[in-house]
Amino acid sequence: MTSRIAVTTTFEGGRVIQPIYTGGSVGLDGSGHILATCLGEDALLTDLKTGKQLARVEGDGEVITSLSITPSASFLILCSRSLALRIYALRSDSDSESDNLLFPELQRTLKPHTTPVITTAVDSTGTLLATGGADGLVKVWDIKGGYTTHTLRGHGGIISALRFFEVTIGGQPSGHSAKDKHKGRHRRLNLEGKEKSELNGDRDPQKGFRLASGGEDGKVRVWDLHTRKCISVLDSHVSVIRGLDYSPEENALVSGSRDKTIIIWDAKSWKSKCVIPVLEGVESTGFVTDGKLAFTGGEHGRVRLWSVSTGREVTQEQPSGNEGESIVDVIHPKGLNWLMSVHGDQALLLHSLQPLLNFSDEPSLPPLPIIRRISGTHDEIIDMAFLKPDKTWLALATNSEDVRIISVATTQDENSMEHDDVTGSSYFGADVTTLKGHEDIVICLDVDWSGQWIATGAKDNTARLWRLDPEKSTFICHAVLTGHAESLGAIALPKSRPSGSVSAEINNPLDHPPPFVLTGSQDQTIKYWNVASTSSNNHNKKSSTSPQARYTRKAHDKDINAIDIKHDSTLFASASQDRTIKIWSVEEGEVQGILRGHRRGVWSIQFAPKDTPTTTTMSSSSSTRGLLLSGSGDKTVKIWNLTDYSCVRTLEGHTNSVLRVVWLPPAPTSASSSSTPRLASSGSDGLVKIWDATSTGEPSCTLDNHTDRIWALSSCCCVNGGADADAGAAAATHDLVSAGADGVLTFWRDTTSSTLAAAQTASSQRIEQEQRLSNYARAGAYREAITLALQLNHPARLLALFRAVVIHGDNNDTPPSTALEKQRAQRQQQQGSMTGNKEVDTVLASLGDEQLLLLLQRVRDWNTNARTAPVAQRILGVLVRSYPVARLVGLRVGGGGGDHTTGQVREGGGGGRGGGAAVTDLLDALRVYTERHYRRLEDLLDESFLVDFTLREMDELMMISGGDDDGGGGMMHVDR
């Protein structure tokens, strides 16, 4: 009979979306599939097609100053402020269960310069590396050999740009500066003849290779890697050089500088062909379309194209971006039809070059289309909400004026994408689009029941209502709500699903915006915006409306932090820094009740879903008007009864402010079908706690995967209108999502049901094993019984088994005559056994490390008691004779190590030193009690001598007494 099992709520970490780029150098391999980025002090390799992390290289404790990856993705080069240059070989394991993983192996660590390396470049063959430092030196290295091939001196300051290129030898110019022309025609012809004669022999790998270097002095130097000399100094810029590129088709070099110009240089004469005023600080430049066009990226945050022949801008005028959108680098792997721009806000944008395939000097072209956006980091995530009916999009407010929308859909073919085009990849966590319109940081957002209307509030004192049409990929600002005097801190949309199954609102929610929007601001007021009455047919227009507020209420005495609307849209609640929560009627905007009890400002509130179950521990009247959940800066979570506005439960467990609370779907509390409401809370302590509504104050479980405060918490399975039947894809993979100031999104799965099933299965199996153990013990099958007792960890039964074996082996009493021969045969069979049973000896001599350690712990415990010490000593003697000392000392406590799949470390894992120390303590305890037992035996032996002496003297006295009695006299007479 299986006993009833009470379930403990359990959650398990699933997918994690974390930053891949936080600033610094960015590299791409030749195929454009592997992205190398800097993540703090570490380097990260990511597959652009699937978004999966291929490898992570730990840093040396200093910030990475430069990063490069070879075109074949065979080597990764890292330079940091520690003056170290580390070369890693990237190897793939075809036998690995995880496809396409790379395993970095450190080949060598060098110190290339006396100052930090500022920039690096790899040649097209992937064999040479150029480094430029703050010491003004340029060095060329053999990547495989790890040695210096060239040391180039000439710059007077920091090296800021490097570029390898190869010139055409046949018909090539002399390759010397203009000064050489004045040294005589004869010398020039001799040098040219020498180069040509060397070409006719064995080809030098460096012949024809050039290196261009730019410095902060505004000069570009061109180096001949064969002669190891500077063949030209290009001195026309007046500021630091930031970009260099070479076009073999045009035989031209382009240089870009922060002096707001780019210059096209003729590689034959090394004279300027064209100076193009860009009118912005240039951070990167290069050639496209076989050298006919040059691109630039700079402080305005836009990729622009320029005609090399005419010097005019080809792309149409583009508005300048903000400071965060400024371009810090543009990467264009040769042979690909797109280029990547790296921006100051850690965003990576892929621009298509398809419009340039048939370019023929058109007067103007539209800006290069952005075909994909990759967010290097989401920075501090303040709020989030699921979008679309199937909850496969997630909207993020990320401490910026834009709202980012990412995909959280999990498709069956995600792991087996057949296409190789990284531009069209859609994977879990991929950016979908951004909603641009606010002029300051977005603080809050909310979504309606359909997931296709989203409202946002920002520090620009405005709120916006957005219409999202995923099928047509249109994202339109439907209305702009203007009227608050200070920044918005709370916003809410009604989530009540329209009644009926064939209504127009349900069949076509895009044509029916939410009826109203509620906003709360730092100006301490709440506004009700009647959106439906002023937005007829506006969904077909690109312009947004500006509805007026139906009513405005002075709600609180301090900032308003949260607003939530009840599932039936009859009531709404507001929470403020004034430590109060107010319940309002939606239609009249009148206060219905005030909830007091928090000792600090209230950060988050949420009405209980429609079908939230009630329990006997709560007031039965709570089901009349429902429950309300709140989290406060006083570190507590409270549950309120909306019938009498009383607090029915206070939950304590956080060590810092509670920032967000949400209701979760109920889970079974036992094997029966009963259920209890559950909730989740997150706080400034970086923890997520799961609670049962009936809890007396202890959380059911604590989830830890963040390093900073958690601002956002969302459940895709539970909204105020109840669980959405259409939310299938996302709900199947995650039940709770947390995000915070560390830029990490963690998707948690509710494993309570599976834990209950596993517990029931384990309980049934344990009962069966215990019955088998009893059967083995009764049948005298000591080998099987001892093995099973060790597996089940039953110390008492294990002791009983060993005691039976030892006593049976030591029993020398003569058995009954009918069993005399059988007993003698058993004794002969077990002769030579250390325990009294050879099968038990075999079991004890073949234990695994975990079982051996467990048995030693049991022997230690038995050895502390004089009654069980003989059995312990017998078993200890067998173990000491069966195993070498090295193995006993080298046992690990808890097995050590961690789970490489999930990245989590198991509790109790001990390292080599910690495990050895614990085993040493165990053996010391055995030694101490063993010595005590030996001393006790020695004392008993000494006392036995006195007993022997006494008995011997008594025997002599009895003999004397007997002799006197026979003779009729004596000194002693004993009356019988």
Side-chain angles (χ1 to χ4, degrees):
M1 178 177 178
T2 303
S3 60
R4 181 175 179 179
I5 300 173
V7 156
T8 301
T9 300
T10 58
F11 275 74
E12 184 180 84
R15 293 175 179 259
V16 177
I17 299 176
Q18 56 187 354
I20 64 171
Y21 173 60
T22 55
S25 300
V26 176
L28 273 174
D29 73 329
S31 65
H33 283 80
I34 300 178
L35 174 69
T37 55
C38 298
L39 187 62
E41 300 174 358
D42 300 340
L44 205 66
L45 298 177
T46 306
D47 189 340
L48 280 184
K49 185 175 66 173
T50 62
K52 293 182 178 180
Q53 177 179 317
L54 301 178
R56 181 168 184 153
V57 181
E58 294 186 1
D60 57 1
E62 296 289 342
V63 177
I64 295 176
T65 57
S66 183
L67 172 151
S68 293
I69 186 171
T70 57
S72 61
S74 56
F75 290 96
L76 176 69
I77 299 95
L78 302 178
C79 301
S80 68
R81 288 185 180 176
S82 64
L83 307 183
L85 183 149
R86 291 174 292 156
I87 301 176
Y88 291 88
L90 303 179
R91 310 193 187 281
S92 60
D93 187 0
S94 58
D95 297 332
S96 175
E97 295 180 357
S98 302
D99 296 336
N100 301 325
L101 286 183
L102 296 177
F103 300 92
E105 297 178 1
L106 181 63
Q107 299 296 297
R108 53 184 52 86
T109 300
L110 308 172
K111 185 178 180 181
H113 297 265
T114 57
T115 58
V117 175
I118 304 301
T119 182
T120 57
V122 178
D123 76 321
S124 59
T125 64
T127 58
L128 296 180
L129 169 71
T131 59
D135 54 5
L137 294 180
V138 177
K139 292 186 178 182
V140 181
W141 304 77
D142 183 281
I143 296 178
K144 293 183 179 180
Y147 55 84
T148 306
T149 61
H150 301 74
T151 299
L152 310 176
R153 296 178 173 84
H155 287 283
I158 297 175
I159 307 300
S160 56
L162 294 170
R163 178 70 179 183
F164 283 101
F165 61 95
E166 185 177 6
V167 297
T168 304
I169 302 298
Q172 124 180 24
S174 62
H176 299 279
S177 62
K179 296 180 181 180
D180 291 336
K181 294 183 178 181
H182 301 286
K183 294 184 179 180
R185 176 181 178 85
H186 180 71
R187 180 181 178 184
R188 178 168 54 84
L189 292 177
N190 288 339
L191 290 174
E192 289 180 354
K194 183 179 180 180
E195 274 192 1
K196 291 179 180 179
S197 62
E198 290 177 350
L199 285 173
N200 294 330
D202 295 335
R203 178 175 175 81
D204 190 319
Q206 293 182 340
K207 180 163 291 187
F209 277 89
R210 304 289 187 263
L211 175 65
S213 60
E216 65 174 359
D217 55 2
K219 297 180 180 179
V220 177
R221 293 179 178 269
V222 182
W223 308 86
D224 187 336
L225 296 183
H226 179 59
T227 61
R228 304 171 185 267
K229 295 181 179 179
C230 177
I231 60 176
S232 184
V233 179
L234 313 179
D235 187 7
S236 292
H237 290 287
V238 295
S239 185
V240 57
I241 307 296
R242 293 295 300 150
L244 294 168
D245 195 16
Y246 175 77
S247 172
E249 294 82 6
E250 297 291 327
N251 199 18
L253 180 75
V254 60
S255 61
S257 170
R258 288 180 179 170
D259 62 4
K260 302 183 180 182
T261 64
I262 62 173
I263 301 178
I264 310 299
W265 305 88
D266 186 358
K268 293 182 179 180
S269 60
W270 295 117
K271 290 185 177 180
S272 170
K273 295 175 58 177
C274 181
V275 178
I276 303 176
V278 180
L279 303 181
E280 67 168 329
V282 177
E283 295 295 327
S284 183
T285 186
F287 288 108
V288 291
T289 62
D290 296 332
K292 297 179 181 179
L293 298 177
F295 65 82
T296 60
E299 58 188 6
H300 290 174
R302 301 291 182 262
V303 176
R304 304 162 69 185
L305 299 178
W306 307 83
S307 173
V308 173
S309 58
T310 63
R312 65 177 179 84
E313 184 176 2
V314 176
T315 49
Q316 299 172 357
E317 184 177 358
Q318 307 174 61
S320 299
N322 54 39
E323 183 178 357
E325 294 178 343
S326 61
I327 294 177
V328 297
D329 195 8
V330 178
I331 303 174
H332 177 219
K334 298 301 182 183
L336 299 182
N337 60 351
W338 51 269
L339 53 83
M340 174 186 289
S341 60
V342 184
H343 295 256
D345 58 358
Q346 290 84 48
L348 311 176
L349 303 183
L350 271 60
H351 305 261
S352 175
L353 299 178
Q354 289 292 126
L356 306 181
L357 294 180
N358 299 321
F359 174 75
S360 58
D361 294 333
E362 286 87 350
S364 64
L365 291 174
L368 295 179
I370 299 175
I371 52 179
R372 184 178 171 191
R373 174 190 172 94
I374 303 171
S375 295
T377 176
H378 292 301
D379 198 13
E380 185 170 2
I381 301 176
I382 305 173
D383 202 357
M384 65 181 174
F386 283 96
L387 301 176
K388 298 179 64 176
D390 57 0
K391 305 292 187 295
T392 54
W393 284 3
L394 192 63
L396 306 176
T398 60
N399 202 25
S400 67
E401 59 271 18
D402 301 333
V403 177
R404 298 179 183 178
I405 298 178
I406 64 174
S407 172
V408 293
T410 303
T411 57
Q412 295 181 354
D413 60 343
E414 184 182 16
N415 297 326
S416 58
M417 297 181 180
E418 296 182 356
H419 61 83
D420 292 330
D421 187 9
V422 302
T423 61
S425 298
S426 178
Y427 52 85
F428 189 91
D431 290 69
V432 177
T433 189
T434 56
L435 305 180
K436 296 181 178 292
H438 285 288
E439 298 177 356
D440 209 334
I441 296 175
V442 176
I443 298 296
C444 51
L445 53 85
D446 197 17
V447 181
D448 75 332
W449 66 271
S450 68
Q452 295 178 312
W453 293 89
I454 178 173
T456 57
K459 283 188 175 181
D460 59 3
N461 304 349
T462 66
R464 289 175 178 262
L465 181 64
W466 306 83
R467 178 181 180 272
L468 311 180
D469 189 353
E471 295 182 358
K472 298 181 179 179
S473 298
T474 57
F475 310 92
I476 301 174
C477 179
H478 181 80
V480 180
L481 313 179
T482 307
H484 283 287
E486 294 188 37
S487 64
L488 275 72
I491 196 167
L493 290 175
K495 298 179 179 60
S496 56
R497 191 182 184 94
S499 59
S501 59
V502 294
S503 62
E505 291 85 352
I506 293 180
N507 296 332
N508 192 8
L510 288 174
D511 293 339
H512 298 84
F516 63 92
V517 180
L518 291 173
T519 57
S521 169
Q522 289 184 359
D523 61 11
Q524 305 168 13
T525 64
I526 291 177
K527 290 182 180 290
Y528 176 106
W529 308 86
N530 194 344
V531 179
S533 61
T534 59
S535 58
S536 59
N537 298 326
N538 186 63
H539 55 274
N540 294 323
K541 303 176 183 179
K542 293 185 178 181
S543 61
S544 57
T545 61
S546 299
Q548 298 297 318
R550 175 180 166 186
Y551 61 75
T552 301
R553 298 289 185 266
K554 173 67 168 62
H556 293 273
D557 297 330
K558 290 185 179 181
D559 300 352
I560 298 175
N561 294 329
I563 294 178
D564 193 48
I565 303 174
K566 196 179 178 183
H567 57 80
D568 56 5
S569 299
T570 58
L571 299 174
F572 74 89
S574 61
S576 170
Q577 285 295 109
D578 63 6
R579 299 177 289 181
T580 64
I581 303 169
K582 293 187 178 182
I583 309 299
W584 308 74
S585 63
V586 173
E587 288 299 324
E588 296 82 11
E590 299 296 333
V591 177
Q592 304 297 305
I594 300 178
L595 311 180
R596 294 184 174 91
H598 283 294
R599 300 185 301 275
R600 294 288 186 272
V602 184
W603 284 104
S604 177
I605 52 175
Q606 190 179 66
F607 283 97
K610 180 179 180 181
D611 300 325
T612 300
T614 58
T615 61
T616 56
T617 57
M618 294 184 180
S619 174
S620 59
S621 60
S622 63
S623 60
T624 304
R625 300 187 69 179
L627 302 171
L628 181 73
L629 188 62
S630 65
S632 167
D634 60 8
K635 311 175 189 178
T636 64
V637 177
K638 290 182 179 291
I639 303 176
W640 306 85
N641 185 352
L642 297 181
T643 300
D644 55 4
Y645 305 110
S646 63
C647 177
V648 297
R649 188 77 71 243
T650 298
L651 307 176
E652 298 180 353
H654 284 281
T655 59
N656 214 320
S657 301
V658 179
L659 301 178
R660 186 59 59 95
V661 291
V662 295
W663 290 93
L664 297 176
T669 57
S670 65
S672 61
S673 60
S674 59
S675 60
T676 180
R678 299 182 303 168
L679 54 102
S681 62
S682 63
S684 296
D685 52 10
L687 300 176
V688 177
K689 292 184 179 291
I690 310 297
W691 314 78
D692 290 335
T694 59
S695 172
T696 58
E698 293 295 329
S700 300
C701 63
T702 300
L703 313 179
D704 184 7
N705 194 48
H706 293 272
T707 59
D708 208 336
R709 63 187 63 187
I710 302 175
W711 286 107
L713 199 64
S714 182
S715 172
C716 65
C717 302
C718 181
V719 294
N720 276 349
D724 194 342
D726 297 331
T733 57
H734 44 262
D735 301 286
L736 184 67
V737 186
S738 59
D742 55 2
V744 175
L745 288 95
T746 305
F747 296 79
W748 306 93
R749 295 192 303 270
D750 186 356
T751 58
T752 304
S753 298
S754 59
T755 301
L756 173 60
Q760 292 175 340
T761 303
S763 177
S764 300
Q765 292 177 351
R766 191 172 186 85
I767 292 175
E768 294 176 0
Q769 290 175 336
E770 290 178 351
Q771 183 61 47
R772 293 208 325 261
L773 176 59
S774 299
N775 295 339
Y776 289 147
R778 181 171 299 179
Y782 296 115
R783 177 189 180 96
E784 293 79 3
I786 291 175
T787 303
L788 191 55
L790 282 171
Q791 179 181 349
L792 295 177
N793 193 16
H794 279 336
R797 291 193 177 185
L798 189 61
L799 175 62
L801 290 170
F802 282 133
R803 180 176 291 171
V805 172
V806 171
I807 293 176
H808 185 271
D810 292 341
N811 187 10
N812 294 321
D813 295 338
T814 302
S817 59
T818 56
L820 180 59
E821 295 181 358
K822 181 179 179 181
Q823 185 69 18
R824 288 177 178 175
Q826 290 179 351
R827 288 177 182 175
Q828 292 177 358
Q829 183 180 2
Q830 303 300 337
Q831 187 176 6
S833 172
M834 292 181 287
T835 61
N837 189 303
K838 290 186 176 181
E839 292 185 352
V840 175
D841 293 348
T842 305
V843 171
L844 294 181
S846 58
L847 297 176
D849 287 351
E850 185 177 354
Q851 291 179 328
L852 180 57
L853 180 61
L854 180 61
L855 183 56
L856 283 174
Q857 292 173 344
R858 297 291 170 250
V859 170
R860 175 200 59 190
D861 298 337
W862 299 336
N863 197 41
T864 59
N865 192 327
R867 294 182 179 180
T868 57
V871 176
Q873 288 296 317
R874 181 69 66 87
I875 303 302
L876 180 60
V878 174
L879 296 179
V880 171
R881 291 178 177 88
S882 302
Y883 298 98
V885 177
R887 181 176 178 186
L888 295 177
V889 177
L891 294 176
R892 302 279 191 240
V893 176
D899 189 342
H900 299 287
T901 303
T902 61
Q904 298 176 351
V905 178
R906 294 190 295 267
E907 294 183 0
R913 185 174 181 181
V919 174
T920 302
D921 294 341
L922 187 150
L923 297 178
D924 288 340
L926 285 170
R927 178 181 55 81
V928 169
Y929 277 95
T930 300
E931 292 175 352
R932 179 180 299 181
H933 293 316
Y934 273 110
R935 285 195 301 268
R936 181 170 56 85
L937 292 176
E938 290 175 356
D939 294 341
L940 289 175
L941 181 61
D942 294 340
E943 293 176 359
S944 68
F945 293 144
L946 178 60
V947 174
D948 290 340
F949 173 77
T950 303
L951 292 175
R952 188 167 55 251
E953 292 297 323
M954 290 178 65
D955 290 341
E956 294 178 358
L957 183 61
M958 291 297 293
M959 292 174 61
I960 296 173
S961 176
D964 292 342
D965 289 343
D966 294 339
M971 298 177 59
M972 182 175 179
H973 177 74
V974 179
D975 295 333
R976 301 276 180 191

